[in-house]
Structures are given as structure tokens and as C-alpha cells.
Amino acid sequence: MTAHLVERPRIAARPDPGPCPVIETARLTLRPHRLSDADAVAQSLGDYQVSRMLARVSVPYHRQDALDWLIRQGSGLIAGWTLAITTGDDVHIGCVGIELRHGQWNLGYWLNRYYWNRGYASEAAYAAMERFFRRMPGTVLHSGVFADNAGSLKLQKKLGFEITGCSEIYALARHGMVSHIETMITADGLRKP
């Protein structure tokens, strides 16, 4: 009796930049999040001045919301990196993430309001993108900003992002549709701030 082997269909491997790294910059350490970051995340995202500029953050935002988010980020089920932005004494001041959504790589970031206007966001975003592009050089990275977030659009232009369009997206914190400027960048377009 001869058994016929049937070859299983191959599943296309999703592109993967590898495990979430630790990245050192002149002033910051970017590292994987820990559950112990929950209080800092909740404090930052509980500030409406921060959460109103993010599409997927609800208001109010509590410690349990932060824990739920941190557990999802650490599960290994989400393709990409979610890096805690920390200062030299390991104080959590924000987040920069690169994740695969709807087949496209996307950059997102936020910073505790008390650390705005010091260049930390551009330093962290540049460092994360530079490492990402070293691992995945042919990738297009997408991002965007709400139309009323001039500071974030200025940051993205400084890094080399180009505007590709405008749309409207739902913002949980604002409970409504918000005009969104869409941007993109490739490794060749990345500029050091």
C-alpha cells in the first residue's frame, strides 16, 4: 500500500523586523514595555492634551486600560515594535511604535505633555525608524497626523515624511471623525533631526 503525500500549501511569511530591540540615543533609551510601565502610561494617556491627538485612545484612560494595552503589546501577536521612550533614569515618558496594520507598516508615537518641545519625540522616532530600515530596507513606512496637530506634522516633515493625502478617521478620545493628513517615508528619505 502506497500512501500519497500531499504537500501542504505554503503560507506566506509576514515580513518581520525581528524582536523588539533596545536602542540608545544621546539622551534616551528605547526599550520594550514592561507591565510596571502601567502607571506612567495611564498618567500620560489620561491627559486629554495627549490622548486627543491619538486615534485609538479612549477617554477617560485608566491604569487597567494601560495594563490591557501592555499585555497585548507583550503577547507577541502584534507584528512590529512598541518601544517605551525613557530617560537615563528609566522614567517612562512616551512611546514609539512601528506595527503592521492592514498590510502596511505604520509609525505612531506619543509623549507625556511635560516632555514636549525638547526634541525627544523626533529623537526617538528617528532612532526607531533608522533601526527598522536597517532590518527592513525596502519597506515603505506610513504615518499621519490629525490636521490640527501642527507640531507632529512639523516633526514628520523634519524626519523626511511626505504628505500623500488626507482622509477622515474616527478618534475615540474626541468621539468623532477627525481630518487626518496621511504621510509616508522610505529609508532613502529618512533625515536625522
Side-chain angles (χ1 to χ4, degrees):
M1 184 169 189
T2 307
H4 293 283
L5 296 177
V6 177
E7 186 174 324
R8 291 183 183 201
R10 293 186 184 183
I11 298 171
R14 72 178 183 204
D16 188 359
C20 192
V22 173
I23 303 170
E24 301 280 338
T25 72
R27 302 180 296 166
L28 304 171
T29 298
L30 310 180
R31 59 158 173 80
H33 278 88
R34 306 175 187 134
L35 290 179
S36 59
D37 294 326
D39 288 333
V41 170
Q43 179 185 15
S44 294
L45 295 182
D47 181 346
Y48 186 70
Q49 295 304 311
V50 176
S51 61
R52 71 191 234 18
M53 294 302 181
L54 304 170
R56 299 183 289 167
V57 176
S58 61
V59 171
Y61 193 88
H62 301 288
R63 184 176 192 280
Q64 187 60 52
D65 298 316
L67 282 170
D68 292 344
W69 180 77
L70 290 166
I71 289 168
R72 272 193 316 278
Q73 298 309 310
S75 70
L77 298 175
I78 300 171
W81 303 336
T82 306
L83 297 155
I85 303 170
T86 66
T87 55
D89 53 1
D90 202 37
V91 172
H92 186 288
I93 65 169
C95 174
V96 60
I98 299 175
E99 70 177 5
L100 188 61
R101 282 189 283 140
H102 309 293
Q104 297 180 331
W105 287 101
N106 288 271
L107 172 78
Y109 50 88
W110 55 265
L111 207 58
N112 181 296
R113 181 167 39 126
Y114 298 103
Y115 294 90
W116 289 0
N117 299 315
R118 298 184 194 184
Y120 289 146
S122 57
E123 185 176 332
Y126 173 81
M129 290 190 307
E130 190 275 332
R131 178 70 63 88
F132 177 81
F133 282 136
R134 275 196 277 149
R135 292 191 181 177
M136 304 205 31
T139 305
V140 174
L141 194 55
H142 299 268
S143 192
V145 300
F146 290 155
D148 60 346
N149 192 346
S152 193
L153 184 59
K154 181 179 175 183
L155 177 153
Q156 288 190 17
K157 285 182 174 180
K158 181 170 47 170
L159 292 172
F161 278 87
E162 296 177 14
I163 295 174
T164 60
C166 189
S167 63
E168 285 204 348
I169 62 174
Y170 188 80
L172 284 172
R174 298 184 190 199
H175 305 289
M177 300 301 286
V178 179
S179 294
H180 185 258
I181 299 168
E182 299 163 3
T183 61
M184 59 81 64
I185 192 169
T186 62
D188 291 338
L190 183 62
R191 293 191 301 257
K192 190 168 188 170

